[in-house]
Amino acid sequence: MPDQDFIYTLLLTGKLALVTTTILLIIGIPVAYWLTYSRFKLKFVAETLICMPMVLPPTVMGYYLLVAFSPNNAFGNFLQEYLDVRLAFSFNGIVIASIIANLPFMIQPLQNGFSALPDELRQVSYTMGKSRLVTLFKVLLPNIKASVITGIALSFAHCIGEFGIVIMVGGNIPKETRIASVAIYDQVQALNFEAANRYAFVLFILSFFTLLLIYGINRKINFTTFR
């Protein structure tokens, strides 16, 4: 029977992925919309910064975030001194780190979805007197359901498997920052391969069914669209 530490670690992993994905969806929709339709000349700089986590080693990003969150740094000291918020080696800290690390996995599918839509959809909606907000939620988003689902699933799955940035920012604190990927590393270091295998198997199954969900729903949406 699974021990309490095993269950709690999995629950903490799911909590991190759920919180991160929810915040990313709220942030991702307006950012992807702006990146798609804005004519700002330096937009490519924003796109570059958003996609940096895809090519930058997680430990590098984790190191800089840890330095920023540290009470010895001006930003970290301000948070702790005036707001009583500690981000280094805390759950809130790894949530922020996970949001930054997974931002491209939400933004890119949404941006690709918006880009694939004919611009006439927006123009007709505006002609009918609809606001940008109504056009976004009533016209555009219903037509990119597959992209929204893909962004949610990819962000959730990638967050579950995140390791480098989490261990740099949060460390390995039981019931606080010790998620499943960190627990696997910890158990392997302790030569406890049975426990490591349990964590690894659960993450494997979650990743498999997440991808299965993406392909299954997208296939159904595409079939319904072109029927």
Side-chain angles (χ1 to χ4, degrees):
M1 186 175 181
D3 56 75
Q4 289 187 350
D5 185 59
F6 176 75
I7 295 173
Y8 200 97
T9 299
L10 292 180
L11 289 175
L12 186 65
T13 305
K15 178 183 176 182
L16 174 64
L18 185 61
V19 171
T20 299
T21 303
T22 301
I23 295 174
L24 279 173
L25 184 63
I26 295 171
I27 296 172
I29 290 174
V31 171
Y33 178 89
W34 177 77
L35 290 174
T36 304
Y37 299 111
S38 173
R39 295 183 180 180
F40 182 54
K41 290 183 179 180
L42 297 179
K43 184 174 65 175
F44 68 93
V45 176
E47 291 177 318
T48 301
L49 290 173
I50 288 171
C51 290
M52 278 288 285
M54 299 185 75
V55 296
L56 193 66
T59 49
V60 173
M61 189 182 306
Y63 168 74
Y64 284 120
L65 285 175
L66 181 61
V67 171
F69 294 163
S70 171
N72 296 325
N73 182 277
F75 177 68
N77 183 64
F78 172 81
L79 290 177
Q80 188 160 317
E81 190 75 21
Y82 296 98
L83 302 178
D84 195 27
V85 173
R86 179 177 62 88
L87 294 181
F89 304 108
S90 69
F91 180 77
N92 290 336
I94 63 174
V95 166
I96 293 174
S98 296
I99 290 171
I100 295 172
N102 290 283
L103 196 58
F105 296 97
M106 180 64 76
I107 297 292
Q108 286 201 334
L110 292 174
Q111 189 178 356
N112 291 337
F114 284 133
S115 298
L117 293 177
D119 199 46
E120 287 78 6
L121 280 175
R122 282 197 316 143
Q123 302 306 326
V124 170
S125 180
Y126 295 157
T127 302
M128 295 176 66
K130 304 298 182 183
S131 66
R132 290 188 177 184
L133 194 62
V134 171
T135 299
L136 173 60
F137 285 98
K138 297 292 186 179
V139 179
L140 301 182
L141 285 178
N143 283 285
I144 60 164
K145 289 179 183 177
S147 298
V148 174
I149 293 169
T150 300
I152 292 172
L154 285 178
S155 300
F156 187 86
H158 191 264
C159 185
I160 283 178
E162 193 62 63
F163 173 75
I165 197 169
V166 172
I167 201 168
M168 289 295 292
V169 174
N172 185 11
I173 306 173
K175 298 185 178 182
E176 180 72 21
T177 64
R178 188 174 188 250
I179 61 172
S181 58
V182 175
I184 292 173
Y185 175 80
D186 193 40
Q187 297 296 344
V188 170
Q189 289 291 99
L191 301 180
N192 189 355
F193 298 111
E194 182 181 350
N197 182 63
R198 283 191 296 165
Y199 286 114
F201 181 73
V202 171
L203 294 189
F204 176 84
I205 293 298
L206 283 174
S207 299
F208 174 79
F209 279 104
T210 300
L211 289 175
L212 192 67
L213 178 68
I214 294 174
Y215 287 116
I217 293 178
N218 285 351
R219 183 174 180 271
K220 184 177 180 180
I221 291 174
N222 291 334
F223 177 78
T224 304
T225 302
F226 294 105
R227 188 174 178 180

